[in-house]
Amino acid sequence: MTTKDAEEPVGIDLPKSLKATRLGAVAHLRLARSEKRNALDDVTVLGLETFFTRLPKDVRAVVLTGEGAHFSAGLDLSEVAEQHDPLEGVLHSRMWHRAFEAIQFGRAPVIAALHGAVVGGGLELAAATHIRIAERSTYYGLPEGQRGIFLGGGGSVRIARLIGVARVQDMMLTGRTLNAEEGHLAGVTQYLVEDGKGLEKAMELAAKAASNTPTTNFAVLHALPRIFESDPASGLLTESLMAAIAEMSPEAQQRLKDFLEKRAAKVVRQS
């Protein structure tokens, strides 16, 4: 599968700040607010929730990118500048949580191709995806400390788990930014590629993820993170239950048979 293949509409009604197409089993969702550096307003965040909760059953993986020079410069501050009711602030943050949980615990694996600014809410969004690829132009920031606000899109949980509490504290207290290489070494991304190569790599990985059985992908997306958060005994029991469910699916049984009868490739070292 390549990005040169014919793209088709996904068939989900989205705001103009989001564009979605598909190439077979892989959907491509674009942040399309480049004049605002893809800043995330409420309409866009609600559109993200709509997309990931209404994803067609035959879409098996999603690639997320940003149009223009940046992936996302974060929260559109105009959304919170006039808020004076603490409850409204809580509900606004919870709306972001709901949308990003639809990404993290959705139907399909999500691969983000990052470039330019991945700042504040943009980094919170990226952290909700499953695989992250950074182009060399990428840089990360958490300027909430300088804005007089705090993380509200799940970053205090997801970003801290990716790169550690101490690094998040440094970025928020001092305004420090990380470049693509620093972020990669810190654990933000699993892949680092040259500028202009992020989408190609994301599509390659999405095609691989889409080729897995739906049951296995469900286990990886939904069970694995919860097993990690469980006490060891509960985690091991959940693992056993999920393993039994996965291997009993008809598709898994056929794949196991193909491997045993030497019709499937063995694992080899990749360059």
Side-chain angles (χ1 to χ4, degrees):
M1 178 184 298
T2 72
T3 56
K4 294 180 180 179
D5 296 328
E7 296 183 346
E8 301 174 350
V10 174
I12 302 173
D13 188 21
L14 295 173
K16 63 180 182 179
S17 56
L18 293 170
K19 297 179 183 177
T21 54
R22 61 181 294 176
L23 295 169
V26 177
H28 181 192
L29 181 64
R30 304 164 180 83
L31 303 176
R33 207 171 178 233
S34 58
E35 73 282 1
K36 295 286 187 179
R37 303 174 81 207
N38 290 323
L40 301 172
D41 60 0
D42 288 356
V43 170
T44 303
V45 174
L46 289 170
L48 288 167
E49 181 183 19
T50 295
F51 179 82
F52 285 100
T53 54
R54 299 182 185 177
L55 200 64
K57 291 182 180 180
D58 60 343
V59 169
R60 304 275 286 264
V62 177
V63 169
L64 177 63
T65 63
E67 292 188 344
H70 304 282
F71 175 74
S72 175
L75 167 67
D76 186 333
L77 293 176
S78 65
E79 299 285 357
V80 298
E82 300 301 322
Q83 284 186 3
H84 302 293
D85 183 341
L87 177 58
E88 289 302 313
V90 170
L91 294 175
H92 185 261
S93 173
R94 294 298 289 164
M95 180 264 286
W96 279 56
H97 291 170
R98 190 176 68 242
F100 290 2
E101 283 169 6
I103 298 172
Q104 183 179 6
F105 297 110
R107 175 181 295 279
V110 183
I111 296 91
L114 310 176
H115 72 292
V118 185
V119 172
L123 182 50
E124 291 182 295
L125 170 59
T129 67
H130 305 101
I131 299 175
R132 290 164 297 278
I133 304 157
E135 296 187 359
R136 297 278 177 184
S137 65
T138 307
Y139 62 95
Y140 309 97
L142 294 172
E144 285 80 359
Q146 288 69 54
R147 306 283 188 265
I149 57 177
F150 189 67
L151 294 165
S156 59
V157 174
R158 293 191 184 94
I159 300 172
R161 285 176 179 161
L162 285 177
I163 67 175
V165 171
R167 192 171 278 109
V168 172
Q169 288 176 321
D170 181 15
M171 294 173 72
M172 292 187 71
L173 290 171
T174 69
R176 177 183 180 180
T177 61
L178 303 178
N179 62 30
E181 291 79 6
E182 291 169 330
H184 185 67
L185 291 174
V188 178
T189 53
Q190 295 100 318
Y191 297 87
L192 182 62
V193 299
E194 298 303 318
D195 289 343
K197 298 294 185 180
L199 177 58
E200 178 183 352
K201 184 66 175 179
M203 285 294 184
E204 172 195 333
L205 297 176
K208 292 180 179 179
S211 71
N212 298 333
T213 70
T215 308
T216 295
N217 278 351
F218 177 88
V220 173
L221 268 57
H222 290 260
L224 182 59
R226 292 178 168 97
I227 290 170
F228 177 75
E229 298 295 334
S230 301
D231 65 89
S234 298
L236 290 170
L237 176 59
T238 303
E239 177 186 88
S240 296
L241 294 170
M242 197 69 250
I245 293 169
E247 67 192 26
M248 286 190 300
S249 73
E251 190 173 350
Q253 289 292 310
Q254 184 60 52
R255 291 183 184 214
L256 292 170
K257 183 179 179 180
D258 289 344
F259 179 80
L260 292 173
E261 296 178 359
K262 303 186 184 303
R263 291 193 299 271
K266 294 183 179 181
V267 175
V268 297
R269 182 177 180 179
Q270 298 180 352
S271 58

